[in-house]
Amino acid sequence: MNKNQLSIVSLGLALALFLALNMFTGVGLRSMRADLTKGDLFTLSDGTRNVLAGLDEPVDVTFYWSKSQTAENPMLNSHARRVHELLEEYSAHAEGNLRLEVIEPLAFSEEEDEALAAGLRGPQVDEAGNRLFLGLVMRNSVDAVETMPFLDPRREAFLEYDLTRGLTRLAESGLPVVGVLSSLPLAGGAQPPPGMPPQQQQPEPAWAIWDFLAQSLDLRDLGSSLVKVPDDIDVLLVIHPKDLSPTTEYALDQYALAGGRMMVFVDPFCMFDPAGQGAQPGMGGDRSSSLDNLFAAWGIAMTPGQIVGDVESADRTQGNDGRPVACPVVMRLEPERLDQDDLVTKGLSALVTLAAGELIVLDDCPLEATPLISTTAAGGGLVDAAMLQFNFDPGMIADTFSPDGTTRTTAYRLLGNFKSAFAEGPPPGPGGEPADASGHLVESTDTFNAIVVSDVDILHEYLWARRRNMLGMSFIEPVNSNGNFVTNGIDNLSGSNDLISLRSRQVQARPFTRKQDLRREADERFRDRYDRYNTQLQATEQKIAELQGPNSEGAVSFSAEQEAQLSGLLAERDQLRKDLRKVRFDLNRDIESLGTRLQFLNVIALPGIVLLIGALILGLRSRPSQAKKLSPLPPTS
């Protein structure tokens, strides 16, 4: 066999070996993968392993997957394969207690009828009657059922949490019961402010946080007043408590003394309080809330009339003049600003808050108070809430804010025992009649566990979620960890720590910190120029308006001097507009320059360096052979 034949045979053998290796890895190593992501986002977590190890009975999981339909959509097909692979891994770690079945429900088949009867969403995708199914059903031995109607690919980062949550529901006797006491229309149905025409007074939809929590919890709307917290409440969620009656405060006090678990959201100035938004022009409605009496018994307080800001954590928002501005009271708090030793905040990505208050611990605090969310020391400071009362101007706040070098805390965990805020017994009834004091608790009979947050706006979807539609179905798409923070807190207070370890590992955003720093520096460098030109432009336009106004007889006429003055003002206005455009251009020049440099590094410089190193190695390895070829032959005798 000559060299050419040997080369052809070797090439054929290499190709056959390559195909065989691919077939083997596709079948034999199908469930194996390397997770190179930061935080091991695609590795089965300890929380899931604990839940799977705790299964004491078989669970049947039926995955309905319309393979022929998803094959036409690469994104859906990739997501469906990810779901299938993850379910196989669940089955492998469940030691026989999770039995997986994958079904493709064809049009007009019994499997399609079963999927629809189970509650799966199968939107019709063509005129032939074919439906797209991508959901699953979990059943245990006592016929308890958990259904995931549609596995949205945009929730892939939360896929493991959603699957494990379903298994947890089957293992437990029902969902955690969460009572919600709030002055806000969280569950929807509230009417717009008075004065709106009747035809426009439509019920408001539920807040996104309500729908988000309802996916995994049994929510009970308790209104804004109660005499006693119901006995079946596992966690009490108190949101924006305004003008609570003494009877309601007493009910909360007694619930806490009996070992109740609470998550409380108060606010010195709630931007999304409908009462404040409906106030008459020129009159700011009261948008604050607190639990001063209970807080005093717990040993904490919220600084009245003050809002926390942080220039180091300032998030960009649109100013009143339309330009973006880094506003200190709109804070994007990165993980380093969150307590990484507490399961509620450990591993969360950024939280976004708006006009949060400052929580302080009193000297005689009887509880263990642990800060969960804090500002930086270098950038933290306070703003008078009166600045927001009539007009929220991010640019003005940014210009006048002055850091005071003090770390401000906006959320605490409280744990321990305390004495009642009603030391003299329950308050009298609404009509002044004496209350029944037979069951009055003077001090804690069980450990009190609570999380207190001094921002209500953190719950509004404007700061943390987007409502999306896909195939005719509506979804809530989180854009940061605000929603997860709330669900983490409730899961922790109700004892479901395995779910926390899953949810908190989902990092939604990893901001380019260098880019953020450049934006902040550019804002500071060009803000003075922008403000100066903008002020001059406004003054010039005012002069033009005055000069162009009608005379006493209602006509507009100009003398030669006035025409010259008007011409000069118009030219000055045009020049100022050019100056403003240049400032805006300069504002983004550093950012664009950075992007160009990064693009050069990624596309040209780094690959070029790799090629150069390869060429040098190849050149060094080829030198000995070349030297051998060029060496003179030994002399012949």
Side-chain angles (χ1 to χ4, degrees):
M1 184 180 291
N2 58 35
K3 290 184 178 180
N4 291 335
Q5 292 175 329
L6 182 61
S7 298
I8 293 173
V9 171
S10 300
L11 183 61
L13 289 174
L15 180 61
L17 181 62
F18 174 76
L19 294 175
L21 182 61
N22 272 275
M23 293 177 62
F24 170 74
T25 55
V27 177
L29 305 179
R30 186 175 179 179
S31 62
M32 296 183 64
R33 59 185 182 275
D35 189 352
L36 304 180
T37 61
K38 182 179 179 180
D40 298 330
L41 297 183
F42 297 97
T43 298
L44 214 59
S45 70
D46 292 338
T48 293
R49 295 173 187 268
N50 293 338
V51 171
L52 293 174
L55 294 177
D56 53 6
E57 60 177 355
V59 174
D60 293 314
V61 178
T62 306
F63 178 35
Y64 292 91
W65 174 14
S66 300
K67 295 183 181 180
S68 57
Q69 305 302 324
T70 60
E72 301 175 3
N73 188 315
M75 180 187 72
L76 275 178
N77 197 52
S78 175
H79 175 63
R81 291 185 180 279
R82 160 72 176 146
V83 174
H84 188 200
E85 292 172 0
L86 190 58
L87 288 172
E88 288 181 330
E89 194 153 347
Y90 271 61
S91 180
H93 284 84
E95 299 179 354
N97 280 333
L98 192 149
R99 298 179 297 217
L100 175 63
E101 181 182 12
V102 181
I103 295 177
E104 181 175 7
L106 302 177
F108 310 109
S109 66
E110 293 183 3
E111 290 81 4
E112 182 185 65
D113 294 339
E114 291 174 359
L116 292 173
L120 267 66
R121 297 170 181 167
Q124 187 170 321
V125 294
D126 57 33
E127 296 180 356
N130 291 305
R131 295 177 178 272
L132 173 62
F133 288 95
L134 192 62
L136 57 85
V137 178
M138 300 179 179
R139 293 183 177 89
N140 61 12
S141 60
V142 295
D143 292 331
V145 179
E146 278 296 325
T147 303
M148 301 179 67
F150 187 81
L151 299 165
D152 184 6
R154 289 168 298 190
R155 280 188 60 84
E156 186 166 345
F158 301 92
L159 177 60
E160 186 182 353
Y161 167 74
D162 291 337
L163 295 176
T164 304
R165 180 186 60 190
L167 292 174
T168 303
R169 287 178 177 178
L170 287 180
E172 296 176 350
S173 56
L175 304 176
V177 180
V178 178
V180 182
L181 185 149
S182 177
S183 63
L184 297 174
L186 299 176
Q191 296 293 332
M196 184 175 290
Q199 63 272 20
Q200 298 182 18
Q201 293 194 8
Q202 300 295 327
E204 294 290 326
W207 283 32
I209 191 65
W210 181 275
D211 294 336
F212 189 71
L213 296 178
Q215 295 175 2
S216 57
L217 302 166
D218 183 359
L219 294 183
R220 308 278 180 85
D221 188 356
L222 304 180
S224 58
S225 63
L226 48 81
V227 177
K228 182 180 183 298
V229 178
D231 294 332
D232 62 344
I233 297 297
D234 295 314
V235 178
L236 184 60
L237 191 57
V238 181
I239 299 174
H240 204 39
K242 293 178 61 177
D243 304 322
L244 295 186
S245 67
T247 303
T248 301
E249 287 188 339
Y250 179 74
L252 300 181
D253 176 77
Q254 295 296 290
Y255 173 78
L257 290 171
R261 290 159 289 185
M262 301 172 64
M263 195 167 188
V264 180
F265 291 84
V266 294
D267 204 314
F269 190 90
C270 178
M271 295 291 294
F272 295 101
D273 184 342
Q277 295 170 357
Q280 296 181 2
M283 298 180 62
D286 182 16
R287 303 191 188 189
S288 65
S289 61
S290 187
L291 289 175
D292 293 336
N293 293 337
L294 298 185
F295 282 0
W298 299 350
I300 64 171
M302 183 174 68
T303 305
Q306 296 294 311
I307 293 171
V308 172
D310 185 359
V311 294
E312 298 292 330
S313 304
D315 200 13
R316 295 178 67 81
T317 187
Q318 183 174 340
N320 291 357
D321 55 6
R323 69 185 179 99
V325 57
C327 182
V329 301
V330 184
M331 297 187 294
R332 182 178 183 86
L333 299 158
E334 302 295 343
E336 56 268 21
R337 305 269 53 85
L338 313 177
D339 182 9
Q340 295 302 310
D341 294 326
D342 194 293
L343 283 174
V344 173
T345 47
K346 179 181 181 181
L348 290 178
S349 64
L351 299 179
V352 177
T353 67
L354 171 60
E358 178 191 27
L359 292 174
I360 59 175
V361 178
L362 304 178
D363 293 337
D364 57 350
C365 178
L367 302 175
E368 178 185 345
T370 304
L372 296 182
I373 306 175
S374 303
T375 68
T376 64
L382 295 176
V383 173
D384 194 328
M387 292 186 67
L388 282 69
Q389 188 69 25
F390 301 103
N391 181 29
F392 176 51
D393 188 342
M396 181 181 68
I397 294 174
D399 290 337
T400 59
F401 183 82
S402 178
D404 56 16
T406 303
T407 299
R408 309 288 178 173
T409 298
T410 60
Y412 274 103
R413 176 191 285 280
L414 305 177
L415 185 67
N417 300 322
F418 67 98
K419 293 182 179 180
S420 173
F422 296 81
E424 298 180 357
E433 65 274 11
D436 181 11
S438 58
H440 174 67
L441 298 179
V442 178
E443 58 185 3
S444 296
T445 59
D446 201 351
T447 302
F448 173 53
N449 194 349
I451 295 172
V452 180
V453 185
S454 58
D455 185 29
V456 173
D457 299 310
I458 192 175
L459 305 174
H460 197 276
E461 60 194 85
Y462 177 81
L463 295 185
W464 71 274
R466 301 291 180 268
R467 292 186 184 269
R468 305 294 189 190
N469 288 288
M470 182 176 184
L471 300 175
M473 294 173 287
S474 177
F475 300 94
I476 297 172
E477 181 183 5
V479 296
N480 56 48
S481 289
N482 288 19
N484 287 346
F485 169 64
V486 182
T487 42
N488 274 5
I490 294 174
D491 281 343
N492 177 257
L493 294 171
S494 63
S496 304
N497 288 333
D498 284 331
L499 287 179
I500 294 175
S501 67
L502 300 180
R503 188 191 300 106
S504 62
R505 71 202 294 261
Q506 313 303 334
V507 179
Q508 287 290 322
R510 294 181 187 145
F512 189 5
T513 55
R514 177 56 182 160
K515 185 175 180 178
Q516 288 182 339
D517 292 340
L518 283 174
R519 283 191 180 278
R520 189 178 296 113
E521 293 171 4
D523 276 343
E524 294 174 355
R525 188 163 57 249
F526 297 112
R527 182 183 299 152
D528 290 341
R529 288 174 54 196
Y530 184 96
D531 290 343
R532 185 172 67 254
Y533 289 145
N534 195 45
T535 301
Q536 293 176 6
L537 177 61
Q538 292 176 358
T540 301
E541 290 180 338
Q542 178 65 28
K543 292 178 182 178
I544 293 173
E546 293 174 355
L547 191 60
Q548 290 180 330
N551 58 25
S552 59
E553 298 179 354
V556 178
S557 60
F558 300 103
S559 63
E561 182 182 354
Q562 288 176 325
E563 287 182 356
Q565 184 181 0
L566 179 61
S567 176
L569 288 172
L570 291 173
E572 181 182 353
R573 183 185 64 179
D574 292 340
Q575 182 60 44
L576 286 170
R577 286 176 175 174
K578 290 180 182 179
D579 292 339
L580 281 172
R581 286 195 295 270
K582 184 176 186 305
V583 169
R584 290 193 183 100
F585 173 80
D586 291 341
L587 187 65
N588 294 317
R589 184 172 54 189
D590 288 345
I591 309 301
E592 295 172 357
S593 175
L594 176 64
T596 303
R597 293 197 300 271
L598 288 176
Q599 188 174 12
F600 173 78
L601 287 173
N602 288 328
V603 177
I604 300 177
L606 291 179
I609 292 173
V610 173
L611 290 175
L612 180 60
I613 293 175
L616 289 174
I617 294 175
L618 184 62
L620 292 174
R621 293 182 62 183
S622 63
R623 278 188 178 181
S625 58
Q626 291 177 357
K628 194 177 292 185
K629 289 179 181 179
L630 297 176
S631 60
L633 294 175
T636 55
S637 55

